[in-house]
Amino acid sequence: MSSVVVRTPAKINLALLVGPRRSDGYHELASVYQAVSLYDEVTAASLPAGEISVSVSGVGAEHVPVTEDNLAVRAASLLAEECAIDEGVALTIHKSIPVAGGMAGGSSDAAAALVACDALWGTELDREEMLAVAARLGSDVPFCVVGGTAVGSGHGELVTPALARGTYAWVLAFDPEGLSTPAVFSEFDRMLDDPELTASPAVPSDLMTALLTGDPVALGQTLTNDLQPAALRLRPRLRRVLDFGAEHGALGSIVSGSGPTCMFLARDTEHAVDLAVTLSSSGLVSSVKPVTGPVPGARVV
Ligand code: C5P
């Protein structure tokens, strides 16, 4: 095989409960992830041993490093090292997931690079081994491999598929300027007046029940994000975007992960298109996209 193409989804958090900062610098968290139909594409082509290159095109490409700091490059290097692979790879990333948008764009590209290089090199890692490598790259990388709807624990890297019914129609509203995830977590720390209150974050049972029954109204009411106040403090204009969604019939309006992307749960795909059109003509956001979830994780196409 001389080249492999992988399609890899963005993630949203239906719930993100955050505990205090741990001694390793991460925050303990309880999360419900969902992969949605907004995809980056990563192509891996054979290169001689030891050579790993990357090029990036698409939305926000100018903000993505094309050095060894690129998370997809780190994924390929780590996989080669772990499996003692004597081959190189040229990675080509086409981005649609916003950079620094709170949608795991970089993590998803890393997940795609793992899946693509695994196929290109024939490493034959099993699922558990692949997820262990993914966890070393970033908190959201294992989920991006798995996809669907899943509960995340630890610092997000421990992923268990969730029992979930139905397909949900979401509208994503993008902000023209990204937010740094570490900056949002630091703002969260500054705003936390009682660390005891969130010492052991747990996924809300009413949200899990809503997913189990496939009830979008109940899901909309139980969406929750502990990072939202911090993201709003850093980007106050998002408040108006969230309010606009709520005023136009969204079943739930919330910041995605560390932001600044806002997400709205629509009644169905038709409502999602209507909401997307209304939001896009509001002048409040730079662009909008109706998507559906859950969808699978990073997969060879
Ligand atoms: O795991 P990842 O490298 O994607 O995380 C980026 C940064 O986000 C971390 O360095 C840390 O500052 C913050 N983070 C955190 N707690 C988590 C996940 C991420 O503080 N559970």
Side-chain angles (χ1 to χ4, degrees):
M1 203 182 302
S2 63
S3 95
V4 175
V5 181
V6 168
R7 195 169 79 142
T8 192
K11 69 88 197 168
I12 55 178
N13 297 89
L14 311 183
L16 183 53
L17 290 302
V18 183
R21 194 180 284 274
R22 310 188 312 202
S23 55
D24 64 1
Y26 283 108
H27 294 73
E28 190 71 18
L29 54 82
S31 155
V32 181
Y33 294 110
Q34 185 163 91
V36 295
S37 60
L38 172 67
Y39 301 97
D40 282 358
E41 199 173 84
V42 175
T43 304
S46 290
L47 277 186
E51 289 180 34
I52 298 182
S53 70
V54 66
S55 65
V56 186
S57 62
V59 181
E62 65 280 15
H63 301 299
V64 179
V66 286
T67 61
E68 58 200 22
D69 291 336
N70 183 290
L71 203 53
V73 170
R74 286 175 43 207
S77 306
L78 185 61
L79 188 68
E81 189 185 305
E82 283 298 303
C83 302
I85 297 294
D86 216 12
E87 291 182 56
V89 64
L91 297 168
T92 310
I93 302 173
H94 185 74
K95 295 212 60 71
S96 298
I97 307 173
V99 177
M103 303 203 71
S107 300
S108 200
D109 296 342
L114 284 181
V115 171
C117 291
D118 172 60
L120 185 73
W121 295 335
T123 57
E124 293 180 352
L125 286 187
D126 65 26
R127 174 52 59 120
E128 288 311 308
E129 291 166 331
M130 171 84 82
L131 293 182
V133 175
R136 290 172 57 191
L137 292 161
S139 309
D140 291 338
V141 183
F143 173 70
C144 293
V145 172
V146 172
T149 306
V151 173
S153 59
H155 60 83
E157 86 288 13
L158 304 172
V159 176
T160 312
L163 289 172
R165 210 174 255 142
T167 297
Y168 298 91
W170 301 96
V171 177
L172 305 174
F174 306 117
D175 194 84
E177 202 187 330
L179 269 178
S180 140
T181 301
V184 176
F185 272 104
S186 296
E187 188 64 24
F188 170 86
D189 293 342
R190 281 190 285 276
M191 293 175 77
L192 197 66
D193 32 80
D194 184 359
E196 292 303 313
L197 282 179
T198 51
S200 303
V203 166
S205 57
D206 48 358
L207 187 141
M208 298 314 288
T209 305
L211 284 174
L212 207 55
T213 51
D215 179 349
V217 174
L219 181 64
Q221 287 164 352
T222 49
L223 297 173
T224 180
N225 182 359
D226 282 351
L227 291 182
Q228 179 165 305
L232 289 176
R233 183 88 80 95
L234 294 174
R235 193 62 53 79
R237 65 172 174 245
L238 299 179
R239 180 80 266 166
R240 285 190 62 204
V241 179
L242 293 175
D243 288 347
F244 190 92
E247 286 155 15
H248 288 81
L251 302 177
S253 307
I254 196 168
V255 168
S256 171
S258 54
T261 305
C262 292
M263 54 190 249
F264 306 95
L265 180 57
R267 288 190 301 276
D268 50 34
T269 49
E270 203 181 329
H271 179 215
V273 172
D274 286 348
L275 187 55
V277 169
T278 315
L279 246 175
S280 109
S281 53
S282 72
L284 288 173
V285 294
S286 61
S287 59
V288 299
K289 181 150 177 72
V291 296
T292 58
V295 299
R299 296 285 181 276
V300 174
V301 292

